[in-house]
């Protein structure tokens, strides 16, 4: 490790705590501060685990700081985006995370690194060794064959009511939650929760088992269920299928009722104005001493305000200044020369059905994107905020507007506002559609489908090359030549290729379908 790196890693980064330094550009090395002195290496690593492989760690306990290196910049960006609105806690103390100036950590000849390396090896053994399939790449953290995507959750010490929404919020940090059923058995509050993928279930169990939802109570006990799929008949406050908004609420149950408030007054405030169709917002203000439990990394509940719309059974976590449960996103820092309403419609359409898009007439780097519901807006925000598009890092937050207004007749608009509500390109129109299970973060590898038999490997490679991409790898699916994977030079290239080539006419009445893939070639 050279001197400049050592001096920075030894706390020259202190200057930035006063808020006078502009934030660093994204790096796979993250700088953590205000770390409790008694915290273990494994606890620090656990903050990064849900987002990808952690490749190195440097603890500076005397300065209450640490540096964490992720395997990829993508993983680091996802982690910083996730922890920006929801401050993580280690041993009940808030920890602050930002990008480091360093592009990698060189710790080979530093003293006291043995424990950090041992902790990293232990974690990677869990991710790749004992739980891996033979021959699977270690960094996939592969789970055992046949492992269920369904978790059985028991909540002990239930001093405060834990709702289906609270579970959805905590467990959504680890992947797309498809279904939840809650019930009481043997006087214990229990839930079954189904992810889109067993890997998500595996990470959620690793990170959350044994954690408390609130201080010193509501402890999560998590196991894999023997069931591999859940059958939800009703969408209400006991059960929910997030892929089927058309389900009835069941035997005349009233829609979500205000939860009972237990315990000392003020811990659970219910600022409920009685808006029709909305369940109360449950506020857990941190000021009342309800701090977030030790070590609850992703899913640390921050000051948790949830608003759930009883009509659609969807929920969203409030964003700064935005309206909780809102389906309109404010997208900022766009490239005004290259962005179009159609481009935003295609990109945000990967995570939900986009109804309207408005690029701001006077400030074209900003746009409003109206999704079909709050859950889709949340998904799009989680996956796209922090990604690079046309050379700029896109930011997405919940808007204070509840709908995108169309221009009045004769009003000058330059075609910047578009209504897509009747577009044939929506991916999630059909209730229970397979697409709900194939929602993945942006990746350099794209999944292509609906390829006609006459189109060759070279045709497709050329199509992407002409769109300005560098093609690194390509393969057709063995069982089904209508589908293929294509790996491009970067995530940014893949995002731009998806915008440009999704629905591209390949002839023979076939339009190319493009999605992000969870696989690599």
């Amino acid at each position: 490790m050279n001197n400049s790196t050592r001096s920075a890693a030894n706390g020259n980064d202190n200057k930035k705590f006063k808020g006078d330094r502009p934030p660093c550009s994204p790096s796979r090395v993250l700088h953590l501060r205000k770390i409790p002195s008694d915290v273990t290496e494994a606890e620090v690593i656990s903050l990064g685990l849900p987002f990808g492989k952690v490749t190195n760690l440097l603890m500076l306990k005397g300065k209450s700081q640490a540096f964490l290196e992720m395997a990829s910049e993508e993983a680091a960006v996802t982690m910083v985006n996730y922890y920006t609105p929801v401050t993580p806690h280690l041993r009940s103390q808030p920890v602050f995370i930002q990008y480091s100036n360093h592009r990698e950590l060189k710790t080979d000849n530093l003293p006291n690194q043995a424990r950090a390396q041992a902790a990293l090896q232990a974690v990677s053994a869990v991710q790749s060794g004992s739980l891996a399939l033979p021959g699977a790449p270690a960094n996939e953290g592969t789970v055992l064959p046949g492992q269920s995507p369904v978790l059985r959750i028991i909540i002990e010490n239930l001093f405060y009511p834990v709702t289906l929404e609270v579970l959805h919020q905590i467990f959504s940090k680890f992947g797309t939650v498809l279904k939840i059923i809650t019930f009481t058995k043997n006087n214990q509050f229990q839930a079954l929760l189904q992810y889109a993928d067993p890997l998500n279930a595996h990470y959620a169990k690793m990170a959350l088992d044994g954690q408390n939802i609130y201080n010193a109570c509501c402890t999560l006990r998590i196991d894999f269920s023997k069931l591999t799929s859940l059958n939800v008949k009703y969408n209400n406050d006991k059960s929910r299928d997030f892929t089927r908004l058309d389900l009835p609420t069941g035997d005349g149950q009233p829609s979500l009722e205000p939860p009972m408030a237990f315990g000392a007054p003020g811990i659970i405030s219910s600022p409920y104005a009685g808006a029709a169709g909305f369940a109360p917002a449950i506020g857990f203000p941190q000021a009342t001493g309800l701090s977030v439990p030790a070590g609850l990394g992703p899913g640390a509940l921050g000051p948790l305000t949830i608003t759930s719309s009883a009509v659609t059974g969807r929920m969203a976590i409030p964003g700064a200044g935005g309206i909780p449960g809102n389906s309109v996103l404010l997208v900022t820092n766009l490239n005004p020369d290259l962005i179009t309403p159609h481009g935003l419609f295609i990109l945000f359409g990967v995570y939900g059905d986009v109804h309207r898009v408005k690029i701001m007439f006077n400030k074209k780097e900003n746009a409003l994107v109206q999704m079909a519901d709050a859950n889709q807006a949340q998904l799009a925000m989680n996956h796209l905020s922090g990604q690079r598009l046309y050379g700029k890092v896109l930011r997405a937050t919940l808007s204070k507007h509840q709908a995108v207004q169309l221009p009045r007749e004769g009003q000058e608009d330059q075609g910047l506002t578009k209504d897509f509500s009747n577009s044939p390109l929506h991916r999630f129109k059909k209730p229970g559609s397979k697409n709900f299970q194939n929602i993945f973060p942006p990746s350099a590898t794209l999944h292509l489908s609906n390829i006609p038999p006459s189109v060759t490997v070279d045709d497709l490679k050329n199509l992407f090359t002409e769109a300005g991409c560098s093609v690194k790898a390509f393969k057709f699916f063995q069982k089904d030549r209508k589908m293929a994977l294509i790996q491009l030079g970067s995530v940014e290239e893949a995002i731009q290729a998806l915008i440009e080539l999704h629905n591209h006419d390949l002839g023979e009445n076939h339009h190319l379908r493009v999605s992000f893939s969870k696989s690599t070639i």
Side-chain angles (χ1 to χ4, degrees), residues 35-318:
I35 289 190
S37 54
D38 54 351
V39 83
T40 66
E41 282 80 359
E43 283 173 286
V44 175
I45 293 168
S46 75
L47 291 177
L49 268 189
F51 306 98
K53 193 174 169 68
V54 177
T55 47
N56 209 345
L57 170 70
L58 173 63
M59 302 275 278
L60 302 169
K61 288 198 170 168
K63 297 198 158 28
S64 305
Q65 296 178 33
F67 289 85
L68 196 67
E69 180 187 87
M70 302 298 288
S72 70
E73 191 178 296
E74 280 165 73
V77 168
T78 311
M79 181 171 163
V80 169
N81 286 341
Y82 172 70
Y83 286 132
T84 303
V86 183
T87 307
H89 285 64
L90 288 174
R91 310 221 167 186
S92 302
Q93 289 188 34
V95 174
F96 299 94
I97 299 184
Q98 61 199 53
Y99 300 116
S100 165
N101 288 326
H102 313 300
R103 301 288 127 190
E104 60 178 321
L105 277 184
K106 295 195 176 71
T107 56
D108 303 348
N109 23 5
L110 281 183
N112 308 328
Q113 267 302 95
R115 281 182 52 177
Q117 294 310 314
L120 286 163
Q121 277 163 0
V123 168
S124 91
V126 170
Q127 280 186 308
S128 57
S130 53
L131 291 163
L133 299 167
N139 62 356
E140 289 286 310
T142 329
V143 289
L144 291 164
Q147 186 174 296
S148 170
V150 179
L151 294 175
R152 185 176 63 114
I153 301 153
I154 295 175
I155 299 180
E156 298 175 348
N157 307 325
L158 192 70
F159 293 157
Y160 304 111
V162 172
T163 61
L164 185 145
E165 270 76 26
V166 169
L167 292 174
H168 183 270
Q169 183 180 9
I170 298 170
F171 284 84
S172 290
K173 303 312 173 199
F174 298 88
T176 304
V177 174
L178 301 182
K179 302 170 188 176
I180 302 178
I181 298 171
T182 63
F183 52 95
T184 303
K185 185 177 174 186
N186 307 334
N187 280 339
Q188 279 182 316
F189 179 71
Q190 303 194 18
L192 291 166
L193 182 144
Q194 181 179 344
Y195 277 106
D197 188 299
L199 189 59
N200 303 126
H202 163 69
Y203 278 137
K205 180 180 184 301
M206 259 173 68
L208 296 174
D209 187 26
Q211 301 288 2
N212 297 333
I213 297 179
Y214 310 124
N215 234 14
C217 71
C218 302
T219 310
L220 292 163
R221 300 278 173 234
I222 304 172
D223 279 306
F224 291 105
S225 169
K226 292 188 181 68
L227 300 168
T228 52
S229 180
L230 299 178
N231 182 17
V232 174
K233 295 190 175 70
Y234 304 115
N235 277 346
N236 53 40
D237 54 351
K238 302 279 192 297
S239 64
R240 193 114 6 123
D241 182 338
F242 293 97
T243 67
R244 298 272 314 267
L245 294 187
D246 56 328
L247 292 178
T249 56
D251 50 27
Q253 275 204 8
S255 35
L256 309 186
E257 299 206 338
M260 297 293 294
F262 298 100
I267 288 189
I268 296 187
S269 59
S270 182
Y272 183 36
F278 277 87
I282 318 162
F284 296 114
Q286 224 132 14
T288 55
L290 199 67
S291 64
V292 174
L296 187 50
L301 292 183
L304 170 66
T305 315
I306 302 176
T307 317
S308 110
S309 156
V311 183
T312 59
R314 295 297 181 114
M315 49 83 62
I317 304 146

Side-chain angles (χ1 to χ4, degrees), residues 396-436:
T397 54
L398 291 178
S399 167
K400 56 179 190 288
H401 299 283
Q402 287 185 287
V404 169
Q405 299 299 322
L406 294 176
R408 292 187 301 280
E409 203 137 329
Q411 192 180 350
E412 176 57 33
D413 179 63
Q414 297 176 354
L416 294 175
T417 309
K418 288 266 192 288
D419 183 82
F420 295 100
S421 44
N422 295 322
S423 167
L425 296 186
H426 289 160
R427 296 178 190 237
F428 304 99
K429 265 267 190 330
K430 280 200 208 110
S433 154
K434 270 246 164 57
N435 293 338
F436 279 103

